[in-house]
């Protein structure tokens, strides 16, 4: 199954971002991708944290969800919509949510980011809990591929990558492919991005697809990029360092099964 990680450098203007996302999805579909993943905050990387509150939508309704549904139909792909802000009952707070659409444009899965990023090195400071509420449950969904295989896909978002127990739970639920739409900072990405992605692939004997923000944004935040696809042996199959683009790779259920048979570490778990 051909998969695509879409890398963006999102702006504070939603319409500009949607146009960019649609063009990348068009490219991915034309290249034969069956599943495409947008990065975290694909629709808006604002001037301040609270900007996302103004575009928050109720689950099941709204322009962002209509956009994702329409693109899935138009390009006949499984579309994982990076993240969008979904409304909560708490004033001034939203969920940072990944929504998955099948090629008919139906929303088939939702995952709310469980782990909220906080970082302060004196020069940079971030705290997602100022405007986000964490999710509570891991989520998987199934993709019947044109190659005749069914792929079970596990969802995660950005900072989740530092919590291996989440990915172990996804693997225990049968995940073949782990998705990581992200907006890693340049500082933390340079230090840890690749090694964490490869570790999650190796320890769970699963493919990992990470779609990232990658470049200097209008708000002067710099994201690390390096969107990539990693195989179950930890080999980087394809990646893009910075700037908008489409990262393509073919994942293979038969090859995955062979890796798991040669090294049956998932069967050897004690905890």
């Amino acid at each position: 199954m051909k998969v695509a990680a879409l890398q963006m450098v999102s702006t504070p203007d939603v319409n500009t971002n949607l146009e960019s996302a649609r063009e990348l999805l068009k490219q991915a579909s034309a290249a034969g991708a069956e599943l495409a993943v947008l990065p975290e905050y694909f629709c808006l990387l604002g001037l301040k944290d609270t900007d996302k509150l103004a575009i928050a939508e109720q689950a099941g309704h709204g322009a962002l969800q209509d956009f994702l549904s329409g693109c899935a139909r138009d390009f006949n792909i499984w579309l994982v919509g990076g993240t969008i802000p979904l409304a909560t009952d708490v004033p001034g707070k939203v969920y940072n949510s990944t929504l998955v659409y099948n090629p008919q444009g139906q929303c088939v899965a939702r995952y709310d980011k469980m782990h909220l990023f906080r970082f302060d090195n004196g020069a940079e400071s971030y705290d997602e809990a100022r405007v986000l509420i964490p999710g509570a449950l891991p989520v998987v969904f199934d993709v019947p591929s044109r190659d005749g295989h069914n792929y079970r896909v596990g969802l995660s978002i950005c900072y989740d990558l530092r919590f291996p127990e989440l990915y172990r739970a996804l693997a225990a639920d049968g995940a073949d492919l782990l998705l990581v739409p992200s907006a890693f900072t340049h500082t933390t990405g340079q230090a840890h991005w690749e090694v964490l992605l490869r570790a999650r692939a190796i320890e769970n004997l699963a493919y990992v697809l990470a779609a990232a923000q990658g470049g200097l944004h209008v708000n002067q935040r710099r994201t690390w990029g390096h969107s990539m696809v990693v195989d179950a042996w930890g080999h980087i199959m394809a990646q893009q360092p910075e700037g908008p683009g489409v990262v393509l790779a073919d994942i293979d259920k038969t090859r995955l099964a062979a890796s798991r048979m040669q090294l049956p570490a998932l069967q050897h778990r004690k905890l």
Side-chain angles (χ1 to χ4, degrees), residues 161 189 191-202 228 236:
L161 186 58
H192 302 141
W193 173 248
E194 180 183 319
V195 69
L196 287 171
L197 289 170
R198 295 178 69 193
R200 297 297 86 87
I202 293 165
M228 66 179 71
I236 297 173

Side-chain angles (χ1 to χ4, degrees), residues 212-260:
Q213 296 281 349
L216 182 63
H217 301 264
V218 173
N219 63 7
Q220 297 307 300
R221 175 175 175 177
R222 189 177 177 193
T223 47
W224 177 239
H226 292 78
S227 297
M228 66 179 71
V229 183
V230 184
D231 71 13
W233 208 246
H235 171 69
I236 297 173
M237 302 173 69
Q239 70 171 310
Q240 175 157 328
E242 281 195 323
V246 178
V247 178
L248 294 161
D250 290 300
I251 66 173
D252 185 335
K253 189 73 173 277
T254 302
R255 181 181 170 193
L256 181 63
S259 295
R260 291 175 170 179

Side-chain angles (χ1 to χ4, degrees), residues 180-194:
V180 196
S182 299
F184 253 60
T185 70
H186 189 274
T187 301
T188 58
Q190 186 175 38
H192 302 141
W193 173 248
E194 180 183 319

